[in-house]
Structure formats: structure tokens, C-alpha cells
Amino acid sequence: PVYGLSKELLVFGRGTVAGVGVQILVWANVALLGVFLLRRTVYGREVYIVGGNEKSAHLSGINVPKVKLIAYTLSGICAAIAGIMITSKLDMGGPYISLNDNVQSVASVVIGGTSFAGGRGSISGTIVGTLIIAMINNLMNLLLINPYIQQGIIGAIILVTVTMNQRRAGVK
């Protein structure tokens, strides 16, 4: 782990602007940019089409590798921003910090209505899913539930949600 980061970096995790945390401002701006990209641009439509059926997207004339490259690039940028925020908040960095956040992320996205089959999902749904997962985690912490059991509960929530989404979509 790396400790003792510069004061300039700590602003991202601990600073405020007009009483609002910098993390919240960054999160809101990234979310708004994502909503704009998905709802108001040709690229956003292409993302949904490629996610729904890659072969049909290709046959429709969409440059599938380009759409996927941009999507992975944007995902990497978001991961880097999240890493900076977490490092700044904790005033330390290391490879094992927030190791279990992958499960939380998947749970947030699935609860938010994104389909594993692709072609369906939204950033606003993911935000709602994130808030639900945060409330569930907070409740489990207040009830002093063992962290290992908490991971099992979140896993069970993912399974139930995926099953419900598949039934709603008509997948057997």
C-alpha cells in the first residue's frame, strides 16, 4: 500500500464545493454525461443495438468493434476516476482496497434493471440500484451482520433479480 498522498489529491475524496462533496459533484457529472451519451447521441443508440444483438448490429452497418472500443475506453476512464476517488478518500492506495466492490457494482446494475442478455438498461436505473444496495449494506452493518454473510446476501439478491429479469423478458 502507498500512504501519505499529496494534499492536492486528497481534495477529490475529502473536499467540498459550496458545502457539497467533490465526490458527489464528480459522480453527478459523470452520470449526467453518461445519460446524455446514451439518450441523446447516435453512439448511445448503437450501444443498445450492439448490446442487444451484435450480429444484427453488424448487419445493420454499425461498426461493432468501434462501438465496443469506445465503450471499454469509457468504462476504463470511469474505473480510473473511481480509483482516484477511493484513493483520495482513504489517503492510501493499494491493489486490495475495495476488492469486494465488484459484487456491489454488479448488484447495483442488475437491481437497476440492466439485462445480462444485453440491450436493456439505463444509468438512472443503475443509480437507483446503487442507492438500494447502499441502503441494504447500511442496514446489514447496523444489524452487525458478518461481512462474509453480507456478501452471500448480496449474491442471493443478484440471483433473485437476474431470475426475475429473465422471467420478465421471457427467457427460460
Side-chain angles (χ1 to χ4, degrees):
V2 178
Y3 299 96
L5 305 173
S6 69
K7 291 181 181 180
E8 292 82 14
L9 182 63
L10 296 180
V11 168
F12 290 108
R14 300 177 180 185
T16 60
V17 175
V20 179
V22 172
Q23 285 186 334
I24 292 172
L25 295 174
V26 171
W27 175 79
N29 283 312
V30 169
L32 288 173
L33 178 64
V35 168
F36 173 77
L37 279 174
L38 287 177
R39 289 189 181 172
R40 303 283 183 202
T41 65
V42 172
Y43 173 73
R45 292 192 189 280
E46 290 176 345
V47 167
Y48 280 111
I49 294 168
V50 170
N53 189 330
E54 201 172 311
K55 188 173 182 179
S56 293
H58 174 73
L59 294 174
S60 297
I62 294 173
N63 187 345
V64 174
K66 178 182 171 186
V67 170
K68 290 170 71 174
L69 178 66
I70 292 170
Y72 287 129
T73 301
L74 292 173
S75 177
I77 290 169
C78 287
I81 291 170
I84 291 168
M85 295 294 153
I86 291 169
T87 300
S88 175
K89 181 178 179 183
L90 298 176
D91 191 16
M92 68 179 254
Y96 299 110
I97 294 173
S98 301
L99 189 62
N100 294 326
D101 285 353
N102 292 335
V103 175
Q104 306 292 330
S105 299
V106 170
S108 297
V109 170
V110 170
I111 287 175
T114 299
S115 170
F116 277 153
R120 198 178 87 230
S122 68
I123 291 176
S124 56
T126 299
I127 291 170
V128 170
T130 301
L131 294 173
I132 290 170
I133 287 296
M135 287 189 292
I136 291 170
N137 282 331
N138 191 32
L139 178 64
M140 289 190 294
N141 286 332
L142 290 172
L143 294 174
L144 302 175
I145 295 175
N146 183 318
Y148 296 110
I149 294 173
Q150 288 183 22
Q151 288 296 319
I153 292 171
I154 296 297
I157 291 171
I158 292 171
L159 286 174
V160 168
T161 307
V162 168
T163 302
M164 288 172 43
N165 285 343
Q166 286 182 332
R167 286 193 178 165
R168 185 173 14 166
V171 178
K172 293 182 180 180

